[in-house]
Amino acid sequence: GQSLEQPSEVTAVEGAIVQINCTYQTSGFYGLSWYQQHDGGAPTFLSYNALDGLEETGRFSSFLSRSDSYGYLLLQELQMKDSASYFCAPRGAMDSSYKLIFGSGTRLLVRP
Amino acid sequence: DAGITQSPRHKVTETGTPVTLRCHQTENHRYMYWYRQDPGHGLRLIHYSYGVKDTDKGEVSDGYSVSRSKTEDFLLTLESATSSQTSVYFCAISESEAGELFFGEGSRLTVL
């Protein structure tokens, strides 16, 4: 079966660090993507981890542990504009093709 | 930004009427997708296409059909709209099967 868990909401203070966790179960696993979506906007790609470890892109980092079926998105030096929903999306196999599976996302609220 | 446009951006219709949403891309990407987004459900894949006239079902395909007669256009049709199909519909494109998705701005459909 397939399942995906991430917290529904996270609140943090401007300038702080926040970690958004994601646990997943898929039929076949190829990698974990993260997308950001501001209210009223379209999702935009943030990062992709195919291998274990930490990938850093500016203030954002993403981590993957394939053995634990676990990943997280780390946002540093939080800014007000980081208030958005964040989706982890494992890429699993479905009927011999590769599909992104999106969960309900984590709504991040950054407070002054 | 990826050249992807959706039309119409907003539509209100009545139960039982047919509705067609259009996704147009200028990137010549092979893969195109239709997702719906509802509160509490995140993004759910409706149908996708892996080439002209090549389409397949996603996780919530009942009540929807698609067509792709040209690389640049991917149409989503609701043959007889129901209130449960009230949603925001996102089209996405990707260059490869495992590549990142680029999303359109979304089409908000209300079925009364």
Side-chain angles (χ1 to χ4, degrees):
Chain A
Q2 298 178 105
S3 66
L4 184 61
E5 285 189 22
Q6 56 181 125
S8 58
E9 282 189 8
V10 174
T11 301
V13 177
E14 193 175 16
I17 299 173
V18 71
Q19 179 174 313
I20 299 174
N21 297 319
C22 172
T23 58
Y24 58 86
Q25 181 179 350
T26 65
S27 302
F29 176 78
Y30 299 93
L32 185 68
S33 298
W34 288 91
Y35 285 78
Q36 178 192 59
Q37 184 180 29
H38 288 97
D39 283 349
T44 56
F45 174 80
L46 287 178
S47 67
Y48 177 68
N49 294 64
L51 304 174
D52 285 357
L54 191 68
E55 296 275 347
E56 298 182 49
T57 308
R59 295 186 296 113
F60 293 3
S61 303
S62 56
F63 172 83
L64 176 65
S65 169
R66 297 172 68 103
S67 60
D68 295 323
S69 297
Y70 165 75
Y72 66 73
L73 181 68
L74 190 73
L75 296 82
Q76 303 182 72
E77 301 173 18
L78 281 173
Q79 301 176 8
M80 299 297 291
K81 67 178 182 179
D82 296 330
S83 291
S85 292
Y86 293 85
F87 296 87
C88 67
R91 185 175 291 282
M94 186 188 305
D95 299 330
S96 77
S97 57
Y98 308 99
K99 298 295 174 296
L100 275 183
I101 304 158
F102 288 89
S104 301
T106 297
R107 189 174 183 88
L108 171 65
L109 175 63
V110 180
R111 293 183 168 165
Chain B
D1 289 343
I4 176 170
T5 56
Q6 295 183 225
S7 59
R9 294 290 313 280
H10 301 272
K11 185 171 182 64
V12 180
T13 191
E14 294 187 349
T15 298
T17 61
V19 176
T20 295
L21 304 180
R22 180 184 184 231
C23 178
H24 178 78
Q25 61 145 331
T26 57
E27 303 298 317
N28 200 36
H29 284 358
R30 178 181 174 188
Y31 296 87
M32 299 186 75
Y33 310 82
W34 276 108
Y35 287 88
R36 62 177 288 175
Q37 186 172 36
D38 306 289
H41 288 279
L43 289 155
R44 292 182 290 175
L45 182 64
I46 305 171
H47 281 281
Y48 67 98
S49 170
Y50 46 97
V52 174
K53 298 186 178 178
D54 291 323
T55 65
D56 208 345
K57 297 178 180 180
E59 57 187 313
V60 289
S61 59
D62 287 348
Y64 302 94
S65 62
V66 290
S67 66
R68 191 168 178 201
S69 58
K70 298 185 291 184
T71 298
E72 56 265 37
D73 289 327
F74 192 33
L75 303 180
L76 177 70
T77 297
L78 292 67
E79 299 291 346
S80 178
T82 68
S83 58
S84 65
Q85 294 176 312
T86 292
S87 187
V88 179
Y89 292 85
F90 285 100
C91 175
I93 61 175
S94 66
E95 192 170 15
S96 65
E97 189 169 26
E100 68 178 270
L101 300 185
F102 297 95
F103 285 84
E105 292 305 309
S107 296
R108 182 175 294 276
L109 175 67
T110 301
V111 183
L112 302 175

